[in-house]
Amino acid sequence: MALLDIDRLSLSIGAQPILDDVSLTVRAGETVGIVGESGSGKSMTALSVMRLLPAGARTSGSIRLDGEDLMTRSERAMCGIRGRKIGLVFQEPMTALNPVRTVGDQIAEAVRLHLPLGRAAVDARVATLLKRVGLADQGVGPDRYPHQLSGGQRQRVVIAIAIAADPKLLIADEPTTALDVTVQAQILALLRDVAAAEGAALVLITHDLAVVADMADRIAVMKDGRIVEEAAPLALFRAPKSAETRRLIAATTATPRPVPAPKADAPLLVEAERVARAYPLPRARLFGPRREARVLDAVSVSVRAGESAGLVGESGSGKSTLARTILALDRPDGGTVRFRGSDLFAMTASELRSVRPEIQAVFQDPYGSFDPRHTVGRIVGEPLHLLGSACAPDERRRRIVDALDHVGLAEADAARYPHQFSGGQRQRIAIARAIVTRPALVVADEPVSALDVSLQAQVLDLLARLRLEMNLALLFISHDLSVVRAVTDRVYVMQSGSIVESGATNAVFSRPAHAYTRALLDAAPSLERALTRREAATVD
Amino acid sequence: MSETAIDGVNRRSMVARALRHPSFLIGAAITLTLLAAALVSFVWTPFPVAEVVIRDRLQPPNPVHWLGTDAFGRDIFSMLLVGARNSLGVAVVAVAIGIGIGVPLGLAAAAEGGLLDSILMRGSDLVFAFPALVTAVMITAIFGPGAINAMIAIGIFNVPVFARVTRGAARALWGREFVLAARVAGKTRARITVEHVLPNVASLIIVQSTIQFALAILAEAGLSYVGLGTQPPMPSWGKMLADAQTMMAIAPWLAIVPGLAIVASVLGLNLLGDGLRDVLDPRLDRTR
């Protein structure tokens, strides 16, 4: 008998249908992946199992765990099932932990709630769990607070809480989306390991095909609240039956149109030379020595006209700080940034204004980068004031329409507000704003990280097209190696404020010289690699 | 879709939200009544407000004097109307002083940061360190009692409140990507403040205003109660309460009427503030 049996589950919230006739079984000890784009119903399926749905949700169908119907259980009975029989691992390890309580406390609470143990036994169980999730080996004791831990360590604590009462089913909802690639690999390995050791079934919810291809025994693909296909990884990815699966695979493996690399003698646009930046930290003691965090340590990068240069590194490596320095938003503590040969930070305000139209930016968050009170036309036209009187109202209007047209939006969209657009369209609006002054360089800071894969592919292709049409140079900043590989000619690899390796993208990715680059490449999930490994395993 | 249509949808949803919000409706009704009373008092009161008719003194509420008369035979209802005018007048000016000085200071502190920010915020700490009403008493004691000095005294204490609220919200906005984008677009700090920051903190300032307004009415009543606010023969709610104190046993309505007026207006403004917060906050639209 299946451990978890979801039968014809439908869910609607208000008038909005969310899930439609979802049936899925999970056998004991098995790992089942659920993939799909945002809004496909992945998370809602998990929340239905936990009966943690938002107010106003109406469900039909049945959910059985070990033969017990969860849909008819009282809220009180569900409290005994959540944590005891089903463990949940959340996406955001920072918000999933209580910041004012020690991790030992929080794990102990999960143990005490479900297991009838004495104080000493609880403490022993906490110690075992900390060891089990690898925190003991990292020197993390039960007396630490969440803010003292890294993102990966916090996620280990969340996993320890999830397995505290030996549940038979673990549900992990995008458990590694908020983590860096090298940490992601470790956490996925830990999840697999823990599930196997405890004999628990694992339901892994993710948007990342490579992750499920690597981890799952069986994969369900969701779209618009339905399961459109369900199969073992090799069958699913080698012989996809549904259009949605094919679309997801195509988007994951899509490469944007090729852009010829610029000539070697193309003029240098931006040269950042030995840029340094440090933030002061609070003193350790009242009269202790001043302390500072070095965010950039003598970093030198350059971008030629028409070139696409990539900057990869994990969170906290200083990528965004460097971007802000090159955009002349933050003054560096040392070093220079020259644009077409003149030092940005030696310029007067009016000289800087004359350079600004040439360097524009696209930011990560498609929700946060627009003033919610402005229309799209006003947003896109914002940089045009830099052109001053050269840009009369007629010309202004023409430029805005032209920029919108370039990114595939209509003139009528200028009158709408950003919240009326989807995430992918918003990133097009952000790009339209960046190209409205016809810049020579666009600094794109994680421009596709917040988008679903199919939208990522479209936005990357749009950037490639704009480079062809406008001879645009790009400084492309990302933590995602496959994306950087697809769109850049040259790449800089950054680690804790320093460039550790740079060179032609193909050369660096195929023959990484630095250990850190190798570690990044090894850790990056790859659909093809996962499938090849599985095929090799079946042959053996 | 045209711009006006989109705009219309937004406005309509805000109005619809307002019309469904009980505390907004009650608060707005009370506040409008208060405002109407104050405005009516300019053109009409049942009796001249300073007219002393000893013969009619201490009448309980009756068909001629709807809310009775005080120890000098003055009509309480007339005094209540004119008192509303005084309370509102003092509160309006006091809140205007707070917004007029506090909001620009808060915006500047958030935009410039650094030394200016430190000086402004430590300055507001200093003002906060003095109990507001006691200092208002001190100011009016030094510069003389009267409505004008009461306005200034209460207004001074509104300045740091608005400066703090504005700075906090504005600083959060300065970290947002759309402000970063405006900086990439080469806009000056002053221009970003006017175009992006101020419109996005406006709703917060409006909500805070209603709360400060209620506090200012209370403060004016307090100052008048101790004789430092509005001066006789002009009536004010605080003064009416003070006069009624010795006659609680024989003429309780003298204390109950202005007391209720103060409570109702403070309650009404607070409800209005709570309601406005929900009505102006577009996030509620999304969660529903």
Side-chain angles (χ1 to χ4, degrees):
Chain A
M1 189 180 62
L3 173 67
L4 175 70
D5 187 358
I6 303 177
D7 189 32
R8 304 178 64 85
L9 172 69
S10 291
L11 162 69
S12 58
I13 296 175
Q16 180 87 26
I18 306 287
L19 295 178
D20 182 14
D21 217 10
V22 169
S23 296
L24 185 72
T25 57
V26 180
R27 287 183 286 276
E30 180 184 43
T31 297
V32 173
I34 305 181
V35 289
E37 304 215 306
S38 33
S40 62
K42 315 185 292 285
S43 294
M44 282 299 171
T45 307
L47 291 179
S48 303
V49 173
M50 300 292 276
R51 288 262 312 277
L52 290 173
L53 292 166
R58 285 194 317 276
T59 51
S60 66
S62 76
I63 301 173
R64 290 178 177 280
L65 181 73
D66 247 351
E68 184 182 10
D69 191 349
L70 299 185
M71 301 279 268
T72 56
R73 283 285 164 278
S74 67
E75 176 58 27
R76 205 183 161 79
M78 279 313 293
C79 289
I81 290 170
R82 294 180 200 129
R84 180 70 189 90
K85 296 189 170 171
I86 315 173
L88 188 59
V89 178
F90 300 92
Q91 169 171 357
E92 197 50 74
M94 192 66 221
T95 49
L97 295 174
N98 182 343
V100 299
R101 298 182 58 198
T102 63
V103 300
D105 252 8
Q106 298 183 56
I107 299 172
E109 182 185 29
V111 174
R112 264 196 309 268
L113 269 176
H114 298 291
L115 303 179
L117 297 177
R119 176 174 299 201
V122 169
D123 287 348
R125 174 93 184 129
V126 169
T128 317
L129 286 166
L130 283 173
K131 201 166 156 56
R132 186 77 207 73
V133 296
L135 284 171
D137 294 344
Q138 297 182 11
V140 176
D143 53 345
R144 297 285 199 95
Y145 286 91
H147 72 265
Q148 297 172 309
L149 308 180
S150 68
Q153 289 173 332
R154 282 184 218 130
Q155 198 61 311
R156 286 171 191 268
V157 174
V158 173
I159 292 173
I161 291 172
I163 62 170
D166 262 334
K168 293 196 184 104
L169 176 65
L170 268 179
I171 300 179
D173 188 358
E174 302 273 9
T176 57
T177 306
L179 302 175
D180 284 322
V181 277
T182 51
V183 183
Q184 168 175 11
Q186 295 163 11
I187 294 294
L188 289 174
L190 174 66
L191 267 177
R192 176 167 28 204
D193 204 33
V194 160
E198 316 283 327
L202 175 65
V203 174
L204 180 65
I205 296 168
T206 177
H207 65 281
D208 193 329
L209 299 188
V211 167
V212 277
D214 197 31
M215 298 272 296
D217 302 313
R218 212 144 41 79
I219 298 169
V221 180
M222 289 194 74
K223 178 182 169 53
D224 298 336
R226 290 165 174 273
I227 293 184
V228 294
E229 186 169 1
E230 191 188 325
L234 279 177
L236 186 82
F237 291 121
R238 289 299 188 216
K241 292 197 179 63
S242 73
E244 175 68 2
T245 312
R246 279 194 292 272
R247 197 177 71 88
L248 288 176
I249 297 172
T252 304
T253 52
T255 48
R257 66 192 70 195
V259 182
K263 296 192 193 71
D265 61 348
L268 275 175
L269 273 183
V270 161
E271 294 164 89
E273 214 168 296
R274 301 192 61 75
V275 171
R277 186 96 164 87
Y279 293 113
L281 290 177
R283 292 170 197 236
R285 283 168 287 118
L286 185 55
F287 295 106
R290 282 176 189 282
R291 298 188 304 156
E292 54 178 27
R294 300 188 74 80
V295 183
L296 294 177
D297 194 3
V299 171
S300 301
V301 300
S302 62
V303 186
R304 289 181 184 280
E307 184 187 39
S308 171
L311 188 60
V312 293
E314 304 197 322
S315 50
S317 61
K319 304 187 300 285
S320 292
T321 307
L322 182 61
R324 292 166 61 115
T325 309
I326 289 172
L327 288 164
L329 296 176
D330 287 351
R331 184 172 278 278
D333 299 328
T336 55
V337 179
R338 281 192 295 277
F339 185 77
R340 294 196 203 279
S342 34
D343 188 344
L344 286 178
F345 295 99
M347 288 181 179
T348 63
S350 70
E351 282 170 334
L352 193 57
R353 278 171 59 89
S354 68
V355 174
R356 284 228 181 265
E358 300 252 33
I359 320 173
Q360 288 294 306
V362 177
F363 297 104
Q364 170 176 1
D365 185 0
Y367 295 87
S369 62
F370 309 119
D371 191 326
R373 287 163 199 275
H374 288 190
T375 61
V376 167
R378 187 167 175 196
I379 288 166
V380 170
E382 184 162 42
L384 286 177
H385 83 102
L386 284 166
L387 306 179
S389 52
C391 201
D394 277 359
E395 168 71 4
R396 187 184 161 83
R397 181 164 182 77
R398 212 177 52 70
R399 287 249 197 157
I400 292 170
V401 172
D402 188 48
L404 286 174
D405 186 50
H406 259 103
V407 299
L409 292 173
E411 185 174 347
D413 291 329
R416 301 169 69 191
Y417 287 87
H419 68 86
Q420 297 172 292
F421 292 86
S422 67
Q425 286 175 315
R426 285 180 208 215
Q427 222 43 342
R428 288 172 188 269
I429 298 170
I431 293 171
R433 169 171 63 190
I435 61 169
V436 77
T437 55
R438 314 222 172 104
L441 171 71
V442 168
V443 177
D445 190 357
E446 303 271 10
V448 296
S449 305
L451 304 177
D452 279 326
V453 275
S454 58
L455 297 173
Q456 280 195 9
Q458 290 171 20
V459 170
L460 293 176
D461 190 57
L462 168 64
L463 284 172
R465 201 186 79 218
L466 292 175
R467 283 184 60 210
L468 281 171
E469 290 172 3
M470 308 176 78
N471 190 33
L472 199 64
L474 206 56
L475 179 59
F476 192 96
I477 299 169
S478 180
H479 69 282
D480 187 333
L481 287 100
S482 58
V483 167
V484 169
R485 182 170 207 167
V487 298
T488 63
D489 306 317
R490 214 152 48 78
V491 67
Y492 295 93
V493 182
M494 212 166 166
Q495 182 191 20
S496 13
S498 305
I499 304 280
V500 295
E501 183 166 3
S502 65
T505 303
N506 277 332
V508 170
F509 278 64
S510 51
R511 291 180 301 281
H514 195 274
Y516 180 68
T517 316
R518 276 198 295 276
L520 280 181
L521 284 167
D522 286 342
S526 146
L527 181 56
E528 197 45 50
R529 205 162 51 198
L531 294 177
T532 317
R533 198 156 46 221
R534 280 188 182 272
E535 277 160 345
T538 37
V539 172
D540 296 346
Chain B
M1 269 184 274
S2 72
E3 183 171 8
T4 48
I6 297 306
D7 207 11
V9 168
N10 285 343
R11 295 243 169 84
R12 256 206 306 280
S13 78
M14 197 182 282
V15 172
R17 223 161 36 223
L19 291 180
R20 262 183 285 122
H21 201 293
S23 66
F24 175 82
L25 289 178
I26 298 171
I30 295 176
T31 308
L32 284 176
T33 310
L34 185 66
L35 196 65
L39 291 178
V40 163
S41 77
F42 280 104
V43 292
W44 174 82
T45 51
F47 293 87
V49 73
E51 188 184 59
V52 175
V53 186
I54 299 297
R55 172 164 45 88
D56 291 343
R57 64 199 281 263
L58 292 179
Q59 287 186 10
N62 60 61
V64 181
H65 295 283
W66 295 345
L67 295 175
T69 59
D70 72 355
F72 301 102
R74 292 179 295 186
D75 180 51
I76 295 292
F77 185 62
S78 306
M79 290 171 76
L80 199 68
L81 292 183
V82 178
R85 182 210 301 175
N86 286 330
S87 286
L88 278 185
V90 170
V92 164
V93 175
V95 171
I97 291 173
I99 292 178
I101 302 175
V103 170
L105 286 182
L107 290 173
E112 295 301 325
L115 191 61
L116 180 72
D117 188 23
S118 301
I119 292 173
L120 288 177
M121 287 305 116
R122 294 301 78 75
S124 76
D125 285 348
L126 198 68
V127 180
F128 273 129
F130 293 94
L133 205 58
V134 174
T135 316
V137 167
M138 208 169 71
I139 291 175
T140 45
I142 294 170
F143 294 102
I148 306 276
N149 286 342
M151 290 173 188
I152 296 171
I154 300 167
I156 287 173
F157 285 97
N158 277 326
V159 171
V161 173
F162 282 102
R164 284 266 174 109
V165 167
T166 309
R167 171 187 175 269
R171 269 187 62 110
L173 287 171
W174 276 98
R176 296 275 296 275
E177 283 188 348
F178 67 83
V179 170
L180 218 53
R183 290 178 63 199
V184 171
K187 293 202 164 156
T188 59
R189 285 174 188 277
R191 192 157 171 194
I192 292 172
T193 296
V194 172
E195 285 183 15
H196 293 290
V197 179
L198 185 57
N200 278 295
V201 298
S203 62
L204 202 65
I205 295 173
I206 292 171
V207 171
Q208 189 67 40
S209 307
T210 59
I211 291 158
Q212 292 312 115
F213 208 96
L215 290 176
I217 286 179
L218 267 184
E220 191 275 339
L223 285 179
S224 299
Y225 181 85
V226 296
L228 294 169
T230 312
Q231 293 301 299
M234 265 310 215
S236 91
W237 294 348
K239 189 88 183 76
M240 286 164 77
L241 264 184
D243 294 343
Q245 206 174 345
T246 51
M247 281 173 276
M248 270 300 281
I250 51 171
W253 64 88
L254 290 184
I256 291 170
V257 169
L260 276 182
I262 294 170
V263 169
S265 41
V266 171
L267 182 71
L269 283 161
N270 275 314
L271 287 176
L272 180 67
D274 277 358
L276 270 177
R277 192 197 319 257
D278 296 345
V279 170
L280 294 175
D281 192 341
R283 268 171 303 182
L284 287 174
D285 230 8
R286 249 174 273 152
T287 54
R288 224 182 31 239

